[in-house]
Amino acid sequence: MARSKGVTIRDVAQRAGVSVAAVSMALNGTGTLSAATRLRVRAIAEEMEYEADALARGLRRSSVGAIGLVMRSLDALGEYAPRGVDVFSRYIGAVSAQAMDRGLSLMLVPDPTRRPTPPLALSLDGYIVTMPHVDDPVIGLLERRGIPYVTLGRDPSRPDFTDWATEDDSLSFRRIYEHFAASGARSIVLLRGTDPNAWNIDSEAMYRAWCERAGITPRVYASAERAGEHGGENIAHAIVDEGIPDAILCHTGRQAAGVLAGLTSRGVAVPDRTMLAAASDSEHTRHSRPAISAVELHAAETTLALLDLLQARIAGEPSPGPVLTTARFRVRASSRRTDTNT
């Protein structure tokens, strides 16, 4: 009974120190094994990459009433509670409550391609994967295992994949640029992240297209998301050295707070000399002085759409996606000039 990489049920039994029959019972949810033994055997089977085929024969024939959530941006950060960044917790809270309203449990799963995989992670009914990367190994794993999934943000490697939802980023970015322009900006800088996801890729394309239409020379800088405020401050010095712009848009609140600190240290007044905004609201944007204008993402509306898409995909129904929801651009002191009405 060969499996992926030649792993057999006997190999699993030997590693777990149980009989072949016990492995079969553990993976198929039968027999009288204790819960602890069942979980231990399944975890070992997953680690040996046997578990998926066993589940395809057994557990995956019926719903387990649970879905998974993978936060790819947090996987890339290498930490799951970045200080002052509350957008991820809002998504997690919203989808958790909404899933329970539908009779579903939710499991938060760190990158399931890393070993050891959390027990039962690959026996869930489906997954929501946030901000997938180019050629994302998590998407590849779910595809190979035949596990239904949807994504927050489009998959940049699968242009034909439509089971995704996100805020209408194009509309949000356009509102920011128009706000800057209406406030007198004739030179605008974009500071984006480096994660290879659609948000970073598409936002730069949007920015360059807008600059071309407006007759503005584009200036794009990049700072790794994990560099946070320190990265933003370093970029601020580079921006000033290369010519102070009228406005700067940062992708994250941490980047924006760092840019503000860097500009202030160089004597660049915000907003009188340079306006500043962020594409994602956070404690950093709300608590900075001056407070930083930012896009407030409506997590609840987006996660409702994702759950609808996922349940349709699990049921084998046609996809109604992609779905775009509307975010709100909150104008604060960092981009509000006293001599304008914007």
Side-chain angles (χ1 to χ4, degrees):
M1 196 177 293
R3 292 294 182 264
S4 174
K5 297 185 178 181
V7 176
T8 70
I9 194 170
R10 294 184 183 279
D11 296 327
V12 177
Q14 183 176 4
R15 174 79 66 85
V18 298
S19 67
V20 170
V23 174
S24 178
M25 287 187 287
L27 297 181
N28 290 286
T30 59
T32 58
L33 297 177
S34 69
T37 298
R38 198 179 303 276
L39 286 173
R40 183 172 63 84
V41 171
R42 289 178 180 177
I44 291 171
E46 285 185 5
E47 183 180 352
M48 298 179 72
E49 297 192 2
Y50 176 91
E51 185 262 357
D53 288 342
L55 286 173
R57 294 184 296 104
L59 290 179
R60 291 198 57 76
R61 290 177 181 170
S62 60
S63 171
V64 297
I67 60 174
L69 175 63
V70 179
M71 309 292 288
R72 296 301 282 139
S73 297
L74 294 180
D75 288 335
L77 278 179
E79 58 178 318
Y80 291 88
R83 183 182 62 82
V85 181
D86 52 0
V87 63
F88 300 113
S89 61
R90 292 206 305 274
Y91 278 112
I92 292 169
V95 73
S96 297
Q98 293 161 358
M100 287 193 294
D101 281 342
R102 300 176 186 219
L104 295 171
S105 297
L106 180 74
M107 175 184 286
L108 304 180
V109 182
D111 184 348
T113 66
R114 297 175 183 170
R115 296 297 176 183
T117 305
L120 303 184
L122 299 179
S123 63
L124 300 174
D125 295 335
Y127 268 87
I128 295 173
V129 180
T130 71
M131 308 297 280
H133 294 175
V134 173
D135 296 326
D136 200 310
V138 171
I139 298 297
L141 173 65
L142 297 177
E143 289 275 3
R144 291 193 304 274
R145 301 295 177 94
I147 300 174
Y149 68 90
V150 299
T151 62
L152 171 63
R154 73 176 185 88
D155 182 343
S157 299
R158 294 171 172 79
D160 296 331
F161 181 78
T162 59
D163 289 327
W164 58 273
T166 190
E167 290 79 8
D168 190 339
D169 296 322
S170 179
L171 176 61
S172 297
F173 277 77
R174 187 168 67 250
R175 285 174 174 170
I176 298 171
Y177 297 138
E178 289 173 352
H179 166 70
F180 283 157
S183 299
R186 296 298 176 264
S187 57
I188 301 172
V189 161
L190 173 67
L191 170 53
R192 51 161 281 183
T194 59
D195 286 353
N197 56 38
W199 195 44
N200 283 326
I201 295 167
D202 293 347
S203 65
E204 180 173 346
M206 289 179 234
Y207 166 73
R208 291 185 180 279
W210 190 89
C211 286
E212 184 175 1
R213 290 193 299 270
I216 293 175
T217 300
R219 290 175 62 187
V220 179
Y221 297 80
S223 177
E225 285 81 355
R226 67 171 57 214
E229 294 165 81
H230 180 69
E233 188 168 358
N234 286 341
I235 293 295
H237 291 295
I239 291 172
V240 172
D241 290 342
E242 295 170 19
I244 302 172
D246 297 325
I248 302 171
L249 172 60
C250 304
H251 267 197
T252 73
R254 296 204 300 178
Q255 289 173 340
V259 166
L260 177 59
L263 293 176
T264 301
S265 72
R266 296 291 293 270
V268 179
V270 176
D272 295 337
R273 177 61 184 87
T274 297
M275 293 176 284
L276 180 64
S280 178
D281 204 12
S282 70
E283 291 182 14
H284 304 89
T285 55
R286 296 188 293 270
H287 298 161
S288 292
R289 291 296 177 268
I292 299 172
S293 301
V295 175
E296 184 181 78
L297 304 177
H298 287 176
E301 185 179 357
T302 304
T303 52
L304 275 175
L306 287 169
L307 283 171
D308 286 343
L309 290 170
L310 181 57
Q311 288 190 300
R313 190 168 173 87
I314 290 171
E317 299 171 356
S319 168
V323 178
L324 297 179
T325 62
T326 303
R328 176 179 180 179
F329 177 47
R330 287 190 173 274
V331 178
R332 299 187 177 113
S334 70
S335 67
R336 185 183 291 119
R337 289 178 168 169
T338 57
D339 59 347
T340 70
N341 294 319
T342 57

